[in-house]
Amino acid sequence: MSVILSASVIRVRDGLPLSASTDYEQSTGMQECRKYFKMLSRKLAQLPDRCTLKTGRYNINFISSLGVSYMMLCTENYPNVLAFSFLDELQKEFITTYNMTKTNTAVRPYCFIEFDNFIQRTKQRYNNPRSLSTKINLSDMQMEIKLRPPYQIPMCELGSANGVTSAFSVDYKGAGKISSAHQRLEPATLSGIVAFILSLLCGALNLIRGFHAIESLLQCYLLVYYTGWRNVKSFLTLGLICLCNMYLYELRNLWQLFFHVTVGAFVTLQIWLRQAQGKAPDYDV
């Protein structure tokens, strides 16, 4: 029997699930497919906007638009044209119901769970194709799929559900599991802004000494942007500031030395305190 089994709405940039249908089947195959759902949701930003993943007895199809992805699980013999028409209906209704601001600022998973009502109604219609003849025009979707067929994701590129890495894999840190290339820092605090301004001031005061100004600019960069080994780099930079001020001991009075070292230490503390944003603790619920 060819049917749609479940569907989800996921934010592309970080894989946050916004809504999902309620699944009642608990077979081994379905449990495995849920793992693939999670793996795909973490890689949506790296994939084309229309894709299919074949997982044996089941297919996972999804489309992405305006920063949101619509994903569905169906049996392997379910027609492609119906699958992508179903996703297209979810997309149109979601865009009509929720504005981009709400979608982009959502923090908790499944915050639009009420959209599940529309998913369930639409799923029932598409699981009874005879009821679709007067409600949708499949010819346009069929032509679109012929002209631009969905990208077939090879299983070897995705990796296995038991955690084996793949060509799409990226480094993860902690519970956040976000690519370091797209990692964002927590919002800047007042003390962080003060630290940034003081570091720029030290850099300006050291411009006449060339290299000595680079340390302050590097601290500003580490304070604003996420990089690998960020805390280690900040402590090394602080050590370099201390060494440079020791070298300039005879050219500066104690108050000048104290100011530069104290600002360097303060900025290093703010870099250490401003950590990367993580996902909500119940993200994978």
Side-chain angles (χ1 to χ4, degrees):
M1 184 178 180
S2 58
V3 293
I4 296 173
L5 298 168
S6 65
S8 297
V9 180
I10 300 165
R11 189 164 62 193
V12 171
R13 77 166 188 261
D14 55 4
L16 180 74
L18 302 174
S19 186
S21 61
T22 305
D23 301 332
Y24 298 102
E25 188 175 340
Q26 299 294 328
S27 65
T28 304
M30 282 288 290
Q31 294 292 337
E32 192 77 5
C33 286
R34 288 192 187 96
K35 295 179 182 178
Y36 286 122
F37 258 57
K38 290 182 180 180
M39 294 173 71
L40 281 171
S41 68
R42 295 166 186 161
K43 306 175 191 297
L44 287 171
Q46 307 168 39
L47 294 168
D49 62 350
R50 180 186 294 166
C51 296
T52 296
L53 174 68
K54 297 183 181 295
T55 62
R57 294 168 47 209
Y58 305 101
N59 289 344
I60 297 175
N61 303 296
F62 70 85
I63 61 174
S64 300
S65 177
L66 300 175
V68 178
S69 185
Y70 308 87
M71 192 178 298
M72 56 93 77
L73 174 68
C74 60
T75 52
E76 60 179 335
N77 54 350
Y78 192 80
N80 254 1
V81 64
L82 289 180
F84 285 100
S85 289
F86 168 75
L87 293 174
D88 190 56
E89 278 205 43
L90 295 190
Q91 174 186 316
K92 289 176 180 176
E93 181 66 20
F94 191 85
I95 291 173
T96 303
T97 308
Y98 305 103
N99 60 46
M100 291 288 294
T101 303
K102 286 186 177 180
T103 303
N104 291 331
T105 57
V107 176
R108 298 191 63 80
Y110 305 108
C111 56
F112 304 131
I113 193 61
E114 67 277 2
F115 190 70
D116 174 39
N117 295 328
F118 179 81
I119 295 177
Q120 295 290 6
R121 290 197 306 269
T122 310
K123 186 171 73 170
Q124 289 173 7
R125 285 176 49 225
Y126 275 83
N127 283 341
N128 183 19
R130 280 184 242 176
S131 66
L132 295 173
S133 57
T134 60
K135 294 183 179 179
I136 64 171
N137 184 1
L138 296 178
S139 60
D140 291 342
M141 180 59 67
Q142 195 161 14
M143 180 62 67
E144 188 177 345
I145 289 176
K146 283 183 179 179
L147 295 174
R148 195 169 65 92
Y151 173 69
Q152 303 287 328
I153 304 174
M155 191 64 71
C156 62
E157 289 185 352
L158 179 65
S160 65
N162 60 6
V164 178
T165 56
S166 68
F168 277 119
S169 296
V170 293
D171 293 331
Y172 297 114
K173 181 180 178 181
K177 297 183 181 178
I178 304 174
S179 169
S180 62
H182 301 91
Q183 185 67 286
R184 295 186 176 189
L185 296 171
E186 294 174 348
T189 60
L190 178 60
S191 57
I193 295 171
V194 171
F196 181 82
I197 294 172
L198 290 174
S199 187
L200 282 180
L201 177 60
C202 287
L205 292 173
N206 290 317
L207 276 177
I208 58 174
R209 293 186 172 86
F211 176 77
H212 191 33
I214 295 176
E215 311 138 13
S216 298
L217 297 178
L218 179 58
Q219 281 197 319
C220 290
Y221 180 84
L222 294 173
L223 187 60
V224 174
Y225 297 103
Y226 181 87
T227 64
W229 300 88
R230 183 164 161 267
N231 289 335
V232 174
K233 292 175 183 176
S234 67
F235 282 108
L236 290 175
T237 304
L238 176 60
L240 186 59
I241 289 173
C242 293
L243 288 175
C244 287
N245 278 280
M246 288 176 63
Y247 177 76
L248 298 171
Y249 179 76
E250 294 181 356
L251 301 176
R252 286 177 172 170
N253 59 46
L254 290 177
W255 285 109
Q256 290 175 321
L257 295 173
F258 178 76
F259 174 75
H260 283 83
V261 173
T262 302
V263 169
F266 180 60
V267 176
T268 301
L269 175 63
Q270 294 305 312
I271 293 171
W272 183 75
L273 291 176
R274 193 183 183 198
Q275 297 299 314
Q277 286 182 339
K279 297 178 183 175
D282 52 355
Y283 181 84
D284 286 326
V285 171

